[in-house]
Amino acid sequence: MSAHLRHTVLRTVSIAAAVGAAAVFGVAGPASADVKPGTYTSTTSSSGVILLQRDARVEGHDLVLIGRYPIHPTRTGGYVDLFPGHRVILISDGHGGYHGPAYLGGAVIGSITLTPHRR
């Protein structure tokens, strides 16, 4: 497999994962104890390229993006399983937002950032 073809396949997989993540983070439901409820901008990126950016909400223990997904609390924030094998980690940035890696099948494929909307 040529280097160009490998890059194309990797980019396609990354975009598909980002779209899946976007579907999960469309609008958030109740958040876990460590991810604060509110409205956010969700940004999914891979290799420094923004793949998807949209509004999201955390309500109670759920992240709502393109669906409603339970947030599982951790000491530093939480994690969300968007679909089997696709997990995003939400680590508090100390300023009201969250960031972390996005995994597909255990491999890091990109990252997620939740930036709070300011009122």
Side-chain angles (χ1 to χ4, degrees):
M1 183 181 287
S2 72
H4 178 70
L5 181 58
R6 277 192 306 265
H7 182 266
T8 301
V9 169
L10 178 60
R11 183 171 175 94
T12 301
V13 169
S14 297
I15 291 170
V19 169
V24 172
F25 288 98
V27 179
S32 68
D34 292 322
V35 177
K36 303 296 182 212
T39 58
Y40 296 85
T41 298
S42 172
T43 304
T44 304
S45 60
S46 181
S47 301
V49 176
I50 294 175
L51 302 173
L52 185 65
Q53 191 168 54
R54 64 176 299 137
D55 288 338
R57 281 193 332 261
V58 173
E59 297 174 345
H61 296 280
D62 293 328
L63 173 62
V64 182
L65 238 147
I66 299 176
R68 183 176 290 264
Y69 305 90
I71 299 172
H72 305 277
T74 65
R75 281 190 272 152
T76 59
Y79 70 89
V80 177
D81 290 324
L82 302 174
F83 55 85
H86 185 32
R87 176 174 286 181
V88 293
I89 309 297
L90 302 172
I91 302 165
S92 173
D93 65 8
H95 302 285
Y98 300 87
H99 63 88
Y103 294 91
L104 183 62
V108 175
I109 58 166
S111 63
I112 183 84
T113 302
L114 292 180
T115 306
H117 290 176
R118 301 292 180 204
R119 295 177 196 185

